[in-house]
Amino acid sequence: GEEVAQTPKHLVRGEGQKAKLYCAPIKGHSYVFWYQQVLKNEFKFLISFQNENVFDETGMPKERFSAKCLPNSPCSLEIQATKLEDSAVYFCASSPRTSGSNEQFFGPGTRLTVL
Amino acid sequence: SQQGEEDPQALSIQEGENATMNCSYKTSINNLQWYRQNSGRGLVHLILIRSNEREKHSGRLRVTLDTSKKSSSLLITASRAADTASYFCATDAMGNTDKLIFGTGTRLQVFP
């Protein structure tokens, strides 16, 4: 598609439940990035993929968070046993990464609320 | 730790006035990008300036980059009510893997 698609728009989970978020990058973009935005300002990088391979996972919490980008499937970000502090908007971005430019195109985000 | 700091945190102006937002960062960069976020929405890419560029224009937007001071500014000329949004700078640090490090954002309110 021409835009990054993210589903669901909103997700509510009780503490300890699992949350799974999906991202379909723009067709032809080989790089996918996940960011977490807390309290409407600070963005935190989580993980990036080059096609189905993890490119940079330095931002991923060691426990509970995992992500995948499989061929012919939307990318996913999964949080096992959610905690209150996981409440945030999770953004996915994709990039063609051409000509030394890494302009990233963002999806509308998934708002996760952990109760 | 967060790479960028932006000031002001919030800015209120009248339609037709110019708005200037500043961004400072900490390490050497490949490029710096500015994004806009409308309330409750995703980020919209505005402009990218490379480390070897000093100024760039796009419509009513003018971005400057001073790598010696590790700072950038975004100027929106002849602002409109529709420009009301949060504006973020984001840097692609040298030696990094293209991940963006965001500033804290400036909340711009343009009154009609």
Side-chain angles (χ1 to χ4, degrees):
Chain A
E2 292 298 318
E3 293 180 338
V4 176
Q6 288 189 251
T7 55
K9 283 187 179 178
H10 303 278
L11 191 56
V12 179
R13 288 289 179 265
E15 239 188 324
Q17 291 186 317
K18 183 173 74 176
K20 196 163 185 179
L21 292 61
Y22 297 92
C23 167
I26 293 172
K27 194 175 179 182
H29 285 193
S30 54
Y31 287 83
V32 170
F33 302 81
W34 285 97
Y35 296 89
Q36 179 195 55
Q37 185 185 26
V38 179
L39 298 176
K40 290 191 177 179
N41 44 35
E42 184 173 335
F43 285 86
K44 180 191 169 191
F45 167 78
L46 295 175
I47 190 170
S48 61
F49 289 83
Q50 180 184 11
N51 297 311
E52 62 266 27
N53 304 307
V54 174
F55 194 57
D56 181 350
E57 59 182 346
T58 53
M60 282 288 266
K62 299 289 184 192
E63 299 171 352
R64 304 187 299 107
F65 282 65
S66 63
K68 292 178 186 176
C69 275
L70 300 175
N72 303 313
S73 295
C75 296
S76 63
L77 176 69
E78 188 168 332
I79 308 173
Q80 300 286 343
T82 52
K83 297 183 177 180
L84 294 176
E85 62 258 33
D86 298 331
S87 293
V89 182
Y90 292 83
F91 288 99
C92 171
S94 70
S95 170
R97 205 193 185 210
T98 57
S99 305
S101 167
N102 72 331
E103 179 182 338
Q104 296 181 20
F105 297 81
F106 281 76
T110 292
R111 180 177 297 278
L112 172 65
T113 302
V114 181
L115 303 175
Chain B
S1 64
Q2 188 136 323
Q3 167 82 308
E5 297 291 331
E6 291 184 56
D7 77 273
Q9 286 189 332
L11 181 61
S12 294
I13 58 175
Q14 295 291 129
E15 255 187 335
E17 292 180 338
N18 296 341
T20 300
M21 289 159 264
N22 303 295
C23 165
S24 61
Y25 56 91
K26 296 179 183 174
T27 63
S28 297
I29 61 172
N30 293 314
N31 61 64
L32 184 145
Q33 304 179 42
W34 284 91
Y35 287 84
R36 183 183 75 223
Q37 184 180 36
N38 289 82
S39 183
R41 304 278 184 91
L43 290 167
V44 174
H45 185 269
L46 296 176
I47 197 164
L48 180 151
I49 186 165
R50 291 189 169 83
S51 59
N52 60 353
E53 297 176 311
R54 291 296 167 258
E55 189 170 311
K56 205 158 181 181
H57 297 255
S58 176
R60 294 184 295 113
L61 306 180
R62 174 180 166 247
V63 167
T64 62
L65 179 64
D66 186 335
T67 52
S68 66
K69 294 181 180 177
K70 291 187 169 58
S71 67
S72 174
S73 68
L74 170 68
L75 167 68
I76 303 174
T77 59
S79 63
R80 304 167 183 168
D83 295 328
T84 294
S86 291
Y87 292 81
F88 293 87
C89 66
T91 52
D92 171 18
M94 232 176 238
N96 242 348
T97 53
D98 290 1
K99 67 184 179 189
L100 295 178
I101 308 297
F102 284 83
T104 48
T106 293
R107 172 73 188 160
L108 174 66
Q109 177 85 46
V110 182
F111 291 101

